[in-house]
Amino acid sequence: CQHHAASLLLLPPPPSCPTLTSPGGLLSHVGTFTIRLLQTSTFQNTSFVETEGLGLLEDIELGSLDKHTWTIRFYQPWVRPSLPRSDWDTIENMIKIYLQQFSHLINEGAMQKDVPYPFVAQCMVGCELYPNRTAQSFAYVGYNGQDFLSFNMDNATWVLSQDTSLSRYVQAILQNYTAFSELVEVLFNDTCVDDMELLLRNGKAALERQELPVATVFARTPRPDQLLLICHVTGFYPRPISVAWLQDGQEVPPGPALNTSAILPNADLTYQLRITLAVAPHDGHSYACRVRHRSLGTGSLLIPWGR
Ligand SMILES: *[C@@H]1O[C@H](CO)[C@@H](O)[C@H](O)[C@H]1NC(C)=O
Ligand SMILES: *[C@@H]1O[C@H](CO)[C@@H](O)[C@H](O)[C@H]1NC(C)=O
Ligand SMILES: *[C@@H]1O[C@H](CO)[C@@H](O)[C@H](O)[C@H]1NC(C)=O
């Protein structure tokens, strides 16, 4: 009996398999993990659809779909070996069949409802595994970048995210297109826990990867009476981080003088952000930027602003 991560995508695990509960710490993970499959289909006209697909575990790209051949390209060395080649072949075939049906269905609906081309349809399906070993799956559909429909796993019904005649029409079609709902249910509702545990085990190193933040402090003078102290922090992983400005050793609370950017991605799956504090020049206080991050353990990085 072999456990197959294939169930992650398409196949339920063989019923004879015992549950994976190795004492060696298969479930040593804490926290919540989410797996997502993203599909973006651009309908240029009735006969030309371009589809992109991406699989993610948290923020780690597992693989994508080649948009010309609809074959899977693996981005992580630990994903493909989780399954025998024949399983991946089956998965690829099912994806191809699904995408053909999807394009057909959407084109039909677009013609019925006079939907103008080009337009973009997106699907996101996946599941979230909680520390208590329960899981919640989800499926969302987007149209031209807006929320369109979502799937309620508890009663297997499609819910409107926007109330238009088009969304009602697609809702009715999907409600009858039970193959899709059944697929989502089998893949995500029934097998999420087992599949996630396999992936969490195989991808342990990638999920536990830690990169130290590099912080730089500098200043700008936009006006003679204002000094902007900027703390730029980059190169860290995972994403959660705490960055603060200290005035005479005390954390500056949120307020109009403080401006924290969004956390932005770098190309190498690390992140960056900057936090800016507006002060008066020569105000007699001392300033330092403090960074706390998982890679620093219980310690923190302290970069003083020196003139
Ligand atoms: C498991 O945790 C999730 C998320 O915290 C919670 O919503 C759910 O009710 C919990 N389930 C059980 C059976 O404890
Ligand atoms: C999904 O799984 C939950 C928990 O096992 C179950 O209660 C629910 O009925 C399932 N939903 C569907 C649509 O199969
Ligand atoms: C914070 O920074 C943003 C982006 O640079 C800027 O648009 C905004 O005005 C700033 N807010 C304050 C309070 O300085």
Side-chain angles (χ1 to χ4, degrees), residues 189-258:
N189 203 39
D190 301 344
T191 64
C192 175
V193 174
D194 290 343
D195 294 333
M196 285 280 263
E197 283 174 0
L198 263 179
L199 274 176
L200 295 182
R201 181 179 58 185
N202 292 347
K204 198 169 165 29
L207 285 161
E208 290 178 354
R209 170 176 157 249
Q210 294 187 354
E211 303 289 346
L212 285 165
V214 175
T216 318
V217 161
F218 55 99
R220 291 228 174 94
T221 318
R223 304 196 307 251
D225 63 336
Q226 194 183 51
L227 191 64
L228 288 183
L229 302 181
I230 299 157
C231 180
H232 180 243
V233 186
T234 189
F236 56 91
Y237 190 86
R239 193 175 186 276
I241 195 162
S242 154
V243 183
W245 271 108
L246 307 185
Q247 184 189 55
D248 302 325
Q250 296 295 310
E251 182 171 332
V252 177
L258 203 62

Side-chain angles (χ1 to χ4, degrees), residues 20 43 57 73 91 135 137 148 160 191 195 214 274 277 284 297:
L20 284 167
F43 290 77
L57 173 59
R73 280 182 305 210
I91 290 170
S137 358
F148 194 64
L160 299 176
T191 64
D195 294 333
V214 175
R274 63 171 58 201
L277 178 66

Side-chain angles (χ1 to χ4, degrees), residues 31-89:
T32 297
F33 291 91
T34 306
I35 188 150
R36 292 182 179 86
L37 300 185
L38 311 177
Q39 173 204 346
T40 301
S41 294
T42 307
F43 290 77
Q44 299 290 359
N45 54 55
T46 46
S47 55
F48 183 55
V49 185
E50 197 164 59
T51 290
E52 292 175 78
L54 182 67
L56 292 164
L57 173 59
E58 295 295 292
D59 55 359
I60 300 169
E61 295 188 344
L62 301 177
S64 71
L65 214 54
D66 183 286
K67 69 180 170 190
H68 300 295
T69 60
W70 289 351
T71 52
I72 299 169
R73 280 182 305 210
F74 295 91
Y75 293 161
Q76 304 295 331
W78 40 271
V79 177
R80 188 206 280 269
S82 334
L83 287 186
R85 196 181 153 81
S86 57
D87 282 16
W88 285 117
D89 291 344

Side-chain angles (χ1 to χ4, degrees), residues 137-210:
S137 358
F138 49 83
Y140 296 96
V141 179
Y143 167 68
N144 280 345
Q146 308 229 309
D147 291 345
F148 194 64
L149 295 170
S150 65
F151 188 63
N152 183 333
M153 286 292 162
D154 297 329
N155 55 16
T157 54
W158 287 94
V159 182
L160 299 176
S161 303
Q162 51 175 260
D163 193 351
T164 60
S165 83
L166 181 62
S167 65
R168 287 184 175 275
Y169 179 82
V170 177
Q171 180 192 35
I173 291 184
L174 284 175
Q175 205 62 59
N176 286 328
Y177 180 45
T178 49
F180 182 78
S181 327
E182 278 162 18
L183 200 67
V184 171
E185 273 167 42
V186 169
L187 305 193
F188 292 102
N189 203 39
D190 301 344
T191 64
C192 175
V193 174
D194 290 343
D195 294 333
M196 285 280 263
E197 283 174 0
L198 263 179
L199 274 176
L200 295 182
R201 181 179 58 185
N202 292 347
K204 198 169 165 29
L207 285 161
E208 290 178 354
R209 170 176 157 249
Q210 294 187 354

Side-chain angles (χ1 to χ4, degrees), residues 227 229 247-248 277-287 305 307:
L227 191 64
L229 302 181
Q247 184 189 55
D248 302 325
L277 178 66
V279 300
H282 314 293
D283 66 359
H285 293 290
S286 73
Y287 292 97
W305 156 245
R307 330 215 51 218

